[in-house]
Amino acid sequence: MTQADQKEQFPGKTIVNSWNEWDPLKHVIVGIADGCMIPPSEPAMECKVPIDSDMKGQWGPRPQETVDKANIQLDNFADILRKRGIRVDRPTPMDFSQPIKTPDWENLSMFGCMPPRDVVATVGNEMLEATMSYRCRWFEYLCYRPLLEQYFKEDPNMRWEAAPKPRLTGRSYKDNYLSRIMTIEDRLKLTAAKDFVTTEVEPLFDAAELARMGKDVVVQHGFTANLAGIDWLRRHFPDLRVHAMNFPGDPYPIHIDCTFIPLRPGLILNNPIRKALPEHRKLFEINDWQIVEAAPPAHKNPPPLCYSSVWLSMNVLVLDPKTVCVEASEIHQMEQLDKLGFEVVPVPFRDANPFGGSLHCATTDVYREGGCEDYFPRQVEGF
Ligand code: ARG
């Protein structure tokens, strides 16, 4: 079937197809805040919680009024997308307060299903359940199973894949790590040296570490993807070029989408305090791509009970190469994208941020028009 045929049949027919972060979006999954928990302590959890966070030492269900407010904004976001002709599906929440166990460990609760971006990676006609890297998120794929089963039935060309479930025993984490990161400076030193909390015992990656650009996929090496995980992705996608990037300057390197965001062919938004390294920029430079520094966030602090940083400001969702959704209070980011030639769609989302991120995190692509293009014909040896 040609791309034009596919387009014509859409959205009547389910087709899984998305090769990059910018082609016209027609079908997407938007998360839900129901029952979301502040998860209990587990090996890698404290590394993720910011040093000055109001979440330190807390765990349990999030206050119901915050869940309700987040859901209002998530539903509104879904409506904005629907009004633009995009089909929106939602995951099925479970009782996230229940304790979970595998033969190797027990955890007192799960997490939630707000950020679908973290759990399922769509690459071409494939939807891939990530290994995940926290115990509390080990079973989160189950919230997406009703949708994945449906897509699998409806689209005969869909590839449904799951990466090997990790054991996540103590061997998957460095046990003295926390004692080595007492201050932000300690953290910055270790993360710059690519000394992260996970070991290389087994492949680990969260789906939100991927930034897709056709034949080239960038994966952040950090707290939630190790080199074995990136190697697994490389072998799993033999026709693609998978590049590992790390970003010194980020004391909590978790998920690439507040750091390095492809906006359209030839243009990347990069966090100015987590600049891409010269050896990594090369690929973009020699192919005439521009890496622009993101505008400063509008807020001095993230909202209460939020794991993420103020850089959720740049966590934008591109609807097509000329249209982008930006959180409605992020005036500087909106202005910058407007100047870069985008129609900016403001989406109020601050109440949903504590549940795992902003507009990019809160979605997973199912269908974008277009195919797998080679945007980087010149490659850099060893990257
Ligand atoms: N580590 C990012 C920051 O706070 C947050 C990324 C959230 N992304 C996601 N897909 N859940 O800067």
Side-chain angles (χ1 to χ4, degrees):
M1 197 190 303
T2 66
Q3 290 300 333
D5 290 339
Q6 287 192 358
K7 196 176 158 186
E8 209 150 270
Q9 289 181 21
F10 208 83
K13 194 170 185 288
T14 300
I15 299 165
V16 173
N17 181 74
S18 177
W19 286 104
N20 55 50
E21 308 288 340
W22 59 74
D23 267 335
L25 182 69
K26 298 289 166 189
H27 184 182
V28 74
I29 302 172
V30 172
I32 291 181
D34 293 16
C36 184
M37 303 287 292
I38 297 174
S41 177
E42 60 170 287
M45 193 49 77
E46 275 75 16
C47 303
K48 176 184 179 177
V49 182
I51 280 171
D52 50 358
S53 170
D54 52 355
M55 268 183 301
K56 262 207 167 338
Q58 289 212 45
W59 82 275
R62 285 178 179 267
Q64 187 57 41
E65 69 272 16
T66 66
V67 173
D68 296 342
K69 279 165 97 180
N71 273 334
I72 289 172
Q73 295 196 333
L74 282 154
D75 292 349
N76 179 55
F77 181 32
D79 281 345
I80 290 173
L81 297 174
R82 284 193 189 103
K83 283 195 189 113
R84 292 186 158 257
I86 298 166
R87 174 171 152 199
V88 178
D89 289 334
R90 314 295 297 271
T92 307
M94 342 181 19
D95 174 8
F96 300 118
S97 71
Q98 65 187 299
I100 49 170
K101 60 184 281 196
T102 71
D104 295 308
W105 47 260
E106 293 185 34
N107 212 46
L108 287 171
S109 86
M110 301 173 70
F111 172 73
C113 65
M114 199 301 259
R117 188 70 60 179
D118 302 3
V119 184
V120 179
T122 305
V123 179
N125 65 342
E126 171 169 334
M127 295 186 87
L128 169 66
E129 296 168 9
T131 69
M132 306 312 285
S133 55
Y134 294 101
R135 292 174 182 171
C136 61
R137 305 193 73 179
W138 206 90
F139 286 107
E140 207 168 306
Y141 67 97
L142 292 173
C143 304
Y144 299 93
R145 280 291 172 91
L147 292 175
L148 295 176
E149 286 161 11
Q150 182 193 343
Y151 304 157
F152 187 71
K153 273 188 208 124
E154 292 176 356
D155 175 4
N157 294 316
M158 179 218 185
R159 281 173 64 92
W160 178 7
E161 298 274 355
K165 286 308 276 176
R167 298 285 291 264
L168 298 185
T169 66
R171 292 173 63 236
S172 294
Y173 308 99
K174 295 176 188 166
D175 41 38
N176 64 346
Y177 196 80
L178 201 58
S179 62
R180 294 197 282 137
I181 48 168
M182 306 303 273
T183 64
I184 289 279
E185 289 69 37
D186 298 337
R187 283 175 174 269
L188 290 171
K189 228 182 270 164
L190 293 191
T191 56
K194 296 196 265 190
D195 185 350
F196 302 118
V197 62
T198 49
T199 63
E200 294 292 341
V201 164
E202 58 183 347
L204 298 176
F205 68 94
D206 284 9
E209 295 299 2
L210 277 69
R212 302 156 307 140
M213 294 168 282
K215 213 168 157 44
D216 293 83
V217 177
V218 164
V219 185
Q220 175 175 236
H221 177 207
F223 281 177
T224 64
N226 61 8
L227 292 174
I230 298 173
D231 187 34
W232 188 90
L233 285 163
R234 208 168 265 144
R235 296 192 217 181
H236 183 69
F237 294 117
D239 297 333
L240 301 182
R241 297 179 294 234
V242 174
H243 310 276
M245 289 181 84
N246 63 293
F247 299 89
D250 188 355
Y252 312 95
I254 293 166
H255 304 152
I256 198 167
D257 52 5
C258 289
T259 302
F260 198 73
I261 290 257
L263 291 174
R264 66 185 178 218
L267 189 61
I268 302 268
L269 198 59
N270 188 194
N271 186 316
I273 55 171
R274 306 174 188 168
K275 285 193 188 133
L277 290 162
E279 60 266 38
H280 297 157
R281 303 177 86 89
K282 219 164 153 192
L283 174 72
F284 300 90
E285 285 160 5
I286 61 172
N287 289 285
D288 299 322
W289 278 58
Q290 214 192 334
I291 301 179
V292 298
E293 292 185 7
H299 301 277
K300 290 248 169 330
N301 293 299
L305 301 177
C306 183
Y307 287 112
S308 307
S309 70
V310 287
W311 290 101
L312 285 176
S313 55
M314 60 181 288
N315 190 260
V316 300
L317 181 71
V318 178
L319 299 186
D320 65 54
K322 289 198 163 94
T323 316
V324 62
C325 294
V326 185
E327 204 288 320
S329 64
E330 295 295 346
I331 42 175
H332 309 302
Q333 192 55 78
M334 288 197 281
E335 189 188 326
Q336 180 187 32
L337 288 165
D338 177 70
K339 283 196 181 130
L340 285 166
F342 286 91
E343 179 206 337
V344 174
V345 181
V347 180
F349 214 65
R350 210 89 170 136
D351 293 339
N353 288 170
F355 293 76
S358 204
L359 304 167
H360 189 265
C361 315
T363 50
T364 276
D365 301 6
V366 182
Y367 185 87
R368 285 184 191 264
E369 291 173 6
C372 181
E373 305 286 335
D374 185 352
Y375 300 96
F376 300 90
R378 296 189 200 111
Q379 288 286 307
V380 176
E381 187 71 26
F383 174 52

